[in-house]
Amino acid sequence: MARLVIVSNRVPPLRATSAVAGGLAVALEEAVRRREMLWFGWSGETSSSREPKVTSRGLRSQAVIDLTAEEHRLYYGGYCNGTLWPLLHYRFGLAEFRREEEEAWRAVNDRFAEALWPLLREDDVLWIHDFHLFPLAARLREMGAKQRIGFFLHVPFPPPGLFAALPRGEALLRDLNGYDLIGMQTPDDAENLRDALRQQGVNTPVGAYPVGIDAEAFGKAAEKAEARRDVQRFQESLSGRRLIFGVDRLDYTKGLPQRLEGYADLLKRFPQHRGKITFLQVAPVSRGEVKHYRLLRRELDEAVGRINGEFAEVDWVPLRWTTRPIQRSVLAGFLRIARVALVTPLRDGMNLVAKEFVSAQPPEDPGVLVLSRFAGAAREMQGALLVNPNDPDEIAEALDQALSMPLSERRQRWRQDYDLLHEAGSSTWSRNFLTDLTAARAEG
C-alpha cells in the first residue's frame, strides 16, 4: 500500500490518539491505522530555521518546519484568519484584504512545497487539508509532482457571487486545478465550490464527504468520564437543576451573542424554567490578538453580566461562562450529564460537538440537541431541533420545547441520530475519500 502523506497547517504530536482526543488527528486515525504515514506542516514555532525537522515512530513519521514571526503574522494572523476565514463563513463584512498578506500566504505555501518535495516518494498519496494550503498542489505540480493529490476543505464555501468579492480570488480557484479530488463537508458546499470552479474553467472533481466520529467509543469514554471527581463535583454544584451546555471556540462564526440572547429570551418568555436550569457556555479564547475577537469577548462578558444581573437569585446563577479551556475528557463528562446541547453556529463546516453530544447521552434517558440549521451536521442530525441561529426567539422556543419534551420523544429522536452516527462511523469519510481519489486519478 502506498504511503499516505498528510499535509495541514499544524501537525499533532507524534503519538497514538485516543477516542476522545479532538481535531483532525482523530478523524484521520482510521485512515492511517496500519499504514505508513508522513504528516507534514508547521511546527507551531517561530524561528529563522529553514530546514524541516523529521521524527519517526514505527510506521508514522512527521516533518515540521518553523515560520518566521513575520511569516506567521502575515500568513496566519493576516490572510488566513483576517481574510479567508470570514469570507468562507459568509462574513465578508469582517474580511480585510491586504496584498502583502496574500503574497505572504503564497510564499509560505511555496516554502511548504519546497520543504516537502524532497521528502516525497513517487508512489505517495498526498492528502492536503484546509484553506491555509489552497495553492499547495499547484506549487508541487510546478516542481514536477505526479503523485495523487487530494484536498479537503473543513470549513464552508460560500456561493460564487460572494466569493467573487475576494480580490485575486480567480487565481486561488485556478490553483485548485492541481488537485485530483476535492472533498467538502456538505453537498451544498460542494456545489458552491463546483460552480465557482466552473466559472474559471477548472474541472477538478468536488464531492461531499461528511466527517464522522466513533460514536460507540465516545459514548463509552463519556460514561467513564461521568465518574470523574471533577465532573461529579460540577454535577453536585447544579443542585438537581438541568444542564444546558454549549462549547465552542470564541469565534464570531459561532453565534454566541445570539445564543445568549436566546437564553435570556427563554427566561423572560418561559418563566417556569427559572431556577430549574443552568446554562454553561465554554468558549476558549482563540486568535485573541485579532481585533474582532477582542471585541467579541468584551461583548459576551457584558451580555453574561446583564443576564445574570437581571435573572439571578441569591441561590441560583442562571448562566455560567468561562473562556478557559477544559480538558477534553472532562468535556465528555459534561456532554454526558447535559440535558440540552445548544449548538448554534451562524455557519459551520460540520461541528462535531453535535455528534459528540448524541454519542455521549445515556440511551435510557437522553437529552435533546438544539442545532443550527447552518451547521453541516444539520443535514445528518434529523432528530435535533433545528433553529435559525439569527433568531433569539426561535432559540428560546426550541429550548422550551427541549426542556418540556416527553421521554418517549427524546428517546425516538436520540435513537434516530445515534443509529446514523454508529452506522457511518469515524472511518467512512476518509475511506470513501481515498477510494475516490484513487479512482479520480486513474480516470484522469
Side-chain angles (χ1 to χ4, degrees):
M1 181 179 293
R3 183 178 66 166
L4 179 63
V5 178
I6 299 168
V7 188
S8 58
N9 177 58
R10 290 293 301 273
V11 178
L14 189 63
R15 62 174 183 266
T17 55
S18 70
V20 294
L24 185 58
V26 167
L28 284 168
E29 178 63 21
E30 189 65 28
V32 303
R33 186 172 296 167
R34 295 182 295 276
R35 179 173 185 168
E36 189 177 7
M37 180 269 288
L38 169 66
W39 199 318
F40 179 92
W42 175 45
S43 66
E45 303 292 332
T46 55
S47 77
S48 59
S49 173
R50 309 291 291 183
E51 294 300 315
K53 297 182 279 285
V54 183
T55 55
S56 299
R57 176 180 292 178
L59 292 174
R60 302 189 182 189
S61 300
Q62 70 175 29
V64 296
I65 60 171
D66 296 346
L67 299 178
T68 67
E70 185 73 353
E71 285 174 333
H72 179 257
R73 182 181 69 83
L74 296 172
Y75 149 79
Y76 185 74
Y79 196 68
C80 287
N81 289 321
T83 304
L84 291 179
W85 178 265
L87 170 68
L88 295 172
H89 287 85
Y90 294 54
R91 301 297 299 275
F92 190 73
L94 298 178
E96 299 176 351
F97 178 84
R98 296 181 178 86
R99 183 166 291 191
E100 66 169 343
E101 293 176 347
E102 188 236 8
E103 291 173 347
W105 173 71
R106 290 190 171 278
V108 168
N109 272 268
D110 289 346
R111 277 201 59 201
F112 268 54
E114 291 163 3
L116 177 60
W117 175 242
L119 304 177
L120 295 180
R121 304 171 185 169
E122 289 186 4
D123 63 343
D124 281 339
V125 175
L126 278 68
W127 196 1
I128 297 169
H129 290 266
D130 237 352
F131 59 97
H132 314 81
L133 305 175
F134 274 132
L136 185 55
R139 303 290 84 76
L140 289 169
R141 298 297 188 201
E142 290 171 1
M143 294 177 177
K146 304 296 184 184
Q147 293 88 345
R148 288 166 288 173
I149 308 180
F151 180 79
F152 197 91
L153 185 62
H154 292 265
V155 300
F157 194 89
L162 178 55
F163 187 83
L166 175 67
R168 297 160 61 131
E170 299 88 349
L172 184 156
L173 293 171
R174 289 194 294 270
D175 281 335
L176 298 182
N177 201 38
Y179 294 102
D180 297 299
L181 177 65
I182 298 173
M184 311 290 287
Q185 297 279 19
T186 71
D188 289 344
D189 291 322
E191 187 58 31
N192 285 343
L193 179 56
R194 205 177 289 123
D195 286 347
L197 291 175
R198 284 196 202 104
Q199 294 177 17
Q200 298 301 318
V202 177
N203 59 4
T204 302
V206 182
Y209 303 86
V211 173
I213 67 171
D214 187 333
E216 182 177 359
F218 193 89
K220 290 179 179 178
E223 184 177 6
K224 181 179 179 181
E226 188 180 9
R228 290 176 57 113
R229 181 59 193 146
D230 39 12
V231 176
Q232 290 182 340
R233 194 165 58 245
F234 171 65
Q235 189 166 20
E236 290 166 2
S237 76
L238 296 173
S239 301
R241 298 181 178 96
R242 289 177 290 178
L243 174 64
I244 301 171
F245 186 47
V247 54
D248 311 80
R249 286 187 304 101
L250 186 65
D251 192 284
Y252 51 75
T253 66
K254 301 301 182 180
L256 294 174
Q258 296 87 341
R259 186 181 308 178
L260 297 189
E261 187 177 349
Y263 180 63
D265 284 354
L266 170 76
L267 299 177
K268 290 176 185 175
R269 295 178 51 197
F270 304 96
Q272 67 270 25
H273 298 301
R274 295 181 193 173
K276 300 177 182 178
I277 57 175
T278 296
F279 177 24
L280 171 62
Q281 176 64 55
V282 177
V285 174
S286 68
R287 305 165 186 155
E289 72 281 2
V290 179
K291 176 184 67 176
H292 295 306
Y293 293 86
R294 295 197 304 270
L295 295 175
L296 174 63
R297 181 174 183 178
R298 183 186 308 168
E299 177 186 359
L300 293 170
D301 285 341
E302 293 173 354
V304 171
R306 284 196 304 271
I307 293 169
N308 283 333
E310 181 175 356
F311 295 104
E313 304 288 347
V314 292
D315 61 345
W316 173 60
V317 177
L319 175 55
R320 302 187 191 185
W321 160 257
T322 179
T323 57
R324 295 174 59 188
I326 295 178
Q327 187 178 349
R328 190 162 174 77
S329 58
V330 176
L331 288 176
F334 289 0
L335 287 167
R336 175 82 174 181
I337 65 177
R339 298 294 77 201
V340 179
L342 193 51
V343 184
T344 55
L346 302 180
R347 186 72 57 174
D348 228 339
M350 176 51 64
N351 197 299
L352 293 180
V353 171
K355 297 184 176 184
E356 290 168 346
F357 170 74
V358 170
S359 302
Q361 285 295 292
E364 67 279 3
D365 187 19
V368 181
L369 173 62
V370 177
L371 179 63
S372 165
R373 67 184 63 176
F374 303 126
R379 294 187 65 93
E380 301 171 89
M381 302 286 93
Q382 295 300 303
L385 299 178
L386 299 182
V387 298
N388 185 329
N390 298 290
D391 186 351
D393 283 309
E394 193 170 318
I395 293 173
E397 290 159 3
L399 286 172
D400 174 60
Q401 183 182 350
L403 293 165
S404 307
M405 188 178 294
L407 177 60
S408 58
E409 183 179 352
R410 286 190 278 119
R411 283 176 173 169
Q412 183 272 326
R413 287 175 176 271
W414 175 84
R415 175 55 62 185
Q416 179 181 0
D417 286 347
Y418 183 83
D419 286 350
L420 182 146
L421 293 176
H422 188 268
E423 180 180 353
S426 60
S427 62
T428 300
W429 81 285
S430 58
R431 183 176 60 247
N432 289 350
F433 182 89
L434 292 172
T435 297
D436 290 351
L437 176 58
T438 301
R441 181 65 168 175
E443 293 168 5

